[in-house]
Amino acid sequence: MTASDDARIMRAAIALSLRGSGQTSPNPNVGCIIEKNGLILGRGWTQPGGRPHAEAQALAQAAGMTQGATAYVTLEPCFHLSPRGPRCVELLHQAGVGRVVIAALDPDPRTNGQSAAWLRDQGIRVDTGILADEAETAMAGFFARQISGRPSVTLKLGLSLDGCIAMADGTSQWITGDAARAHAHVMRASHDAILVGRGTWWADSPRLDVRLPGLEQRSPKRLMLGHGDTPEGWILIHDPASIVQLDGVSSILVEGGAQTAAAFLHADMVDRILLYRAPVIIGGGRQAVADIGLPSLDAAHGLWRMMDTRRLGGDMLEVYLRQRAR
Amino acid sequence: MTASDDARIMRAAIALSLRGSGQTSPNPNVGCIIEKNGLILGRGWTQPGGRPHAEAQALAQAAGMTQGATAYVTLEPCFHLSPRGPRCVELLHQAGVGRVVIAALDPDPRTNGQSAAWLRDQGIRVDTGILADEAETAMAGFFARQISGRPSVTLKLGLSLDGCIAMADGTSQWITGDAARAHAHVMRASHDAILVGRGTWWADSPRLDVRLPGLEQRSPKRLMLGHGDTPEGWILIHDPASIVQLDGVSSILVEGGAQTAAAFLHADMVDRILLYRAPVIIGGGRQAVADIGLPSLDAAHGLWRMMDTRRLGGDMLEVYLRQRAR
């Protein structure tokens, strides 16, 4: 296989990994592909609840044909023992694969690098770092938990061209169109939890469920930022830093409003922004983001990088990633 | 020539026409290319002040080789007599061209369709409507004057991702980067006049000149929207509708601020929006557009179509056109 073949197959494995997004916490949503002589023999991704692992799924599909095959995994296979299932590193060895291609090493200290080393000791060729950034982005919640100890935070904003999320009287239905709203529902389904501020909850009583055929069961946990009573079915947090303590939550989608967006931006806890933009001018409407305590314009530069843009019906989606030193 | 050859050459003629943008009012900024057997023999564009015309320039370049050639013109050649120069329709006939390809017919009733008909009467093949929309956009000021009786209006906004044109304290230097600012200066040079509100003038004392090497002499007229004293070198207008009366002004670039942008949008006199967007979040800053009297969100939809987007350094430029029935 050439380097570009490796990248092509790994990209497909990353796409598979996204199927488990928001469903596997605290486990990572891994993707795996078993390839031999140019044929794809098995495809797997971490199943809801975290088991079976992607490797187990893909190897089972390829059963009987795995001798000398190559396994592409978006995350280093697990090295540590678990009462819930076999160690993937052993499964791969038992299956007789000749090569393992790994996107990102597992930051979990119980595995971190040990699986790659052990596989090499067994005479299996191991390549690492193939599309590592893309894989980490696809498993953002797991990496955020492992590295910074908190869930990853995605801020969703639906804006007019002049940056308004509603008219001055609060009317916000609808700025963006059907395609953008459907995409936003897919984003809900791929996060462990959704968060709104108390003001947004009072104004809109948002259901924050997933209104897409076949995905109704994937509605995430519902969080509210604020103080006072907690509506049934909601979890109340008093400030952004509290998300560290949320059990079983590795990824959060912050949906509104301007004060809540500002609170997370001020705390520098936003890792990704989804900007849904409609080709309309509102004029004098409600702003998307309240005061974030920016000391100067200089301080605003260099923080965000656009990683994706796409058309959604008449609207545009832009995805920005927070640039952080590692 | 195939239809795609015609389109390719006409696109080049439109690009030439833009060299005269902001320099030819009240004349149109036309582009012309003389082609024969696949060779480009002459290129011309309307010169500053409106003469010579593009056709005269291009034919002069191709002198002696124009028999049987094809002339590509972005606007129907002039039919009416002028004390300032020859009729282009006669120049083309005298040059012996065998074919004339026209993008847009001249809306001026003294020509409108008559040149095309007269050329056909002389046995010259005439094709019209090749990239007509693109040509009209390139001569937007002329077409606006002819069709609606007022100059074309372009609104320029330099925004953060959350739609702010400044921090809450008014700081706006700099949101966008060098490349975006240089592009904005080119846009200044291509309009007959620049307009700001009195508030912006007081706050920034903008020079509104063209700070680009070689283009310093192309600084447009300076207009201020408001009431009271008029600073030296400025023309005061009291409301957007007054632009109809401005002599020698076919195109206006509205540069700020939020009240001025809103006044022109409220009057539905904005034909084009240049959105320069920097990948920064300001939060609670100054909004780009003040109240425009929007009755409902429904009323905001369907007015604007994105016609261009490009990267300018770390920023993005988006160009939106107002969709109007003709």
Side-chain angles (χ1 to χ4, degrees):
Chain A
M1 305 300 276
T2 67
S4 82
D5 287 331
D6 282 345
R8 188 167 43 79
I9 299 176
M10 188 61 82
R11 196 163 285 120
I14 292 171
L16 288 176
S17 81
L18 290 171
R19 300 191 184 188
S21 198
Q23 309 297 307
T24 64
S25 184
N27 279 18
N29 53 304
V30 179
C32 178
I33 287 178
I34 308 296
E35 178 271 345
K36 190 172 166 182
N37 300 329
L39 293 177
I40 302 301
L41 304 177
R43 296 148 71 246
W45 57 95
T46 317
Q47 294 298 297
R51 291 277 175 175
H53 281 184
E55 297 92 324
Q57 284 237 312
L59 287 170
Q61 263 189 21
M65 304 180 283
T66 54
Q67 193 67 39
T70 298
Y72 291 82
V73 281
T74 63
L75 185 72
E76 184 184 10
C78 57
F79 189 74
H80 46 286
L81 291 164
S82 160
R84 297 185 59 205
R87 303 198 303 165
C88 289
V89 72
E90 271 177 20
L91 288 182
L92 289 164
H93 179 239
Q94 286 161 12
V97 301
R99 183 180 174 225
V100 177
V101 183
I102 296 169
L105 290 182
D106 189 345
D108 186 328
R110 296 173 298 174
T111 288
N112 191 241
Q114 297 184 76
S115 288
W118 185 85
L119 289 166
R120 285 187 182 117
D121 286 345
Q122 314 310 311
I124 296 171
R125 178 179 161 194
V126 177
D127 293 297
T128 64
I130 315 301
L131 300 187
D133 286 352
E134 290 85 340
E136 289 189 25
T137 299
M139 296 177 280
F142 174 75
F143 273 84
R145 270 289 186 200
Q146 290 290 328
I147 291 167
S148 59
R150 62 160 176 84
S152 70
V153 175
T154 299
L155 173 63
K156 174 207 146 189
L157 298 171
L159 298 177
S160 64
L161 296 181
D162 54 328
C164 298
I165 53 170
M167 292 176 64
D169 67 4
T171 307
S172 63
Q173 292 183 355
W174 298 105
I175 293 176
T176 54
D178 291 344
R181 288 205 301 282
H183 188 277
H185 277 267
V186 172
M187 289 297 100
R188 279 184 186 169
S190 69
H191 284 78
D192 295 326
I194 309 292
L195 185 147
V196 297
R198 178 171 290 275
T200 296
W201 188 84
W202 268 105
D204 296 348
S205 295
R207 288 192 294 167
L208 297 186
D209 50 5
V210 176
R211 272 160 273 167
L212 291 172
L215 291 181
E216 300 87 348
Q217 301 312 312
R218 299 186 63 159
S219 291
K221 292 190 172 79
R222 293 179 291 178
L223 312 176
M224 181 189 293
L225 178 67
H227 293 269
D229 296 338
T230 314
E232 198 186 319
W234 291 73
I235 300 166
L236 190 72
I237 64 169
H238 295 322
D239 67 282
S242 308
I243 63 172
V244 171
Q245 291 135 30
L246 293 167
D247 227 26
V249 174
S250 296
S251 60
I252 298 176
L253 183 68
V254 174
E255 292 223 22
Q259 295 293 343
T260 301
F264 277 88
L265 287 163
H266 180 67
D268 196 12
M269 293 177 80
V270 177
D271 305 300
R272 183 168 70 150
I273 300 175
L274 303 176
L275 220 55
Y276 297 92
R277 302 173 60 240
V280 302
I281 301 278
I282 290 179
R286 298 204 178 166
Q287 286 186 298
V289 181
D291 183 18
I292 60 171
L294 191 68
S296 71
L297 277 180
D298 271 357
H301 285 280
L303 306 184
W304 299 98
R305 184 175 64 82
M306 192 198 284
M307 74 160 285
D308 193 17
T309 177
R310 69 179 71 178
R311 192 171 281 282
L312 291 171
D315 305 319
M316 294 294 294
L317 167 65
E318 293 173 352
V319 181
Y320 291 87
L321 287 191
R322 178 74 172 86
Q323 302 299 289
R324 299 184 200 276
R326 270 282 289 278
Chain B
M1 306 298 277
T2 66
S4 82
D5 287 331
D6 282 344
R8 188 167 43 79
I9 298 176
M10 187 60 82
R11 197 163 284 120
I14 292 171
L16 288 176
S17 81
L18 290 172
R19 300 190 183 189
S21 198
Q23 309 298 308
T24 64
S25 184
N27 279 19
N29 53 303
V30 179
C32 177
I33 287 177
I34 309 295
E35 177 271 345
K36 190 172 164 183
N37 299 329
L39 293 176
I40 302 300
L41 304 176
R43 296 149 69 248
W45 56 95
T46 316
Q47 294 298 298
R51 292 276 176 176
H53 282 184
E55 297 91 325
Q57 286 238 310
L59 287 169
Q61 263 188 21
M65 303 181 285
T66 55
Q67 194 66 41
T70 298
Y72 291 82
V73 281
T74 63
L75 185 72
E76 185 183 9
C78 57
F79 189 74
H80 46 284
L81 291 164
S82 160
R84 299 184 60 205
R87 303 197 306 164
C88 289
V89 72
E90 270 176 22
L91 288 181
L92 289 164
H93 180 238
Q94 285 160 13
V97 301
R99 183 180 173 224
V100 178
V101 183
I102 296 169
L105 289 182
D106 189 345
D108 186 328
R110 297 172 298 173
T111 288
N112 190 240
Q114 296 184 76
S115 288
W118 186 85
L119 288 166
R120 285 188 182 118
D121 286 346
Q122 313 311 311
I124 296 171
R125 179 180 160 192
V126 178
D127 295 297
T128 64
I130 315 301
L131 300 186
D133 287 351
E134 290 85 340
E136 290 191 24
T137 299
M139 296 177 280
F142 174 75
F143 273 84
R145 271 289 186 200
Q146 289 289 330
I147 291 166
S148 59
R150 61 159 176 85
S152 71
V153 175
T154 299
L155 173 64
K156 175 207 146 190
L157 298 170
L159 298 177
S160 64
L161 295 181
D162 53 329
C164 298
I165 54 171
M167 291 177 63
D169 67 4
T171 308
S172 64
Q173 290 182 357
W174 299 104
I175 293 176
T176 53
D178 291 344
R181 289 206 301 281
H183 188 277
H185 277 266
V186 172
M187 289 298 99
R188 280 185 186 169
S190 69
H191 284 78
D192 295 326
I194 309 292
L195 185 146
V196 297
R198 178 170 289 276
T200 297
W201 189 84
W202 268 105
D204 296 347
S205 294
R207 289 191 294 167
L208 297 187
D209 50 5
V210 176
R211 273 160 270 166
L212 291 172
L215 291 181
E216 299 87 348
Q217 301 312 312
R218 300 187 64 160
S219 291
K221 293 190 173 76
R222 294 180 291 178
L223 311 176
M224 181 190 294
L225 179 67
H227 294 269
D229 297 339
T230 314
E232 198 187 318
W234 290 73
I235 301 166
L236 191 72
I237 64 169
H238 295 322
D239 67 283
S242 308
I243 63 172
V244 171
Q245 292 135 31
L246 293 167
D247 228 26
V249 174
S250 296
S251 60
I252 298 176
L253 183 67
V254 174
E255 292 223 23
Q259 295 293 343
T260 301
F264 277 88
L265 286 163
H266 180 66
D268 195 13
M269 293 177 79
V270 177
D271 305 301
R272 185 168 67 150
I273 301 175
L274 303 176
L275 219 55
Y276 297 91
R277 303 172 58 239
V280 302
I281 300 277
I282 291 179
R286 297 202 180 170
Q287 286 188 297
V289 181
D291 184 18
I292 60 171
L294 191 69
S296 71
L297 276 181
D298 270 356
H301 285 280
L303 306 184
W304 300 98
R305 184 175 64 82
M306 192 197 286
M307 73 161 286
D308 193 17
T309 178
R310 69 180 71 178
R311 191 171 282 281
L312 291 171
D315 305 321
M316 293 294 294
L317 167 64
E318 293 173 351
V319 182
Y320 290 87
L321 287 191
R322 177 76 170 85
Q323 301 301 291
R324 299 185 200 276
R326 270 281 289 278

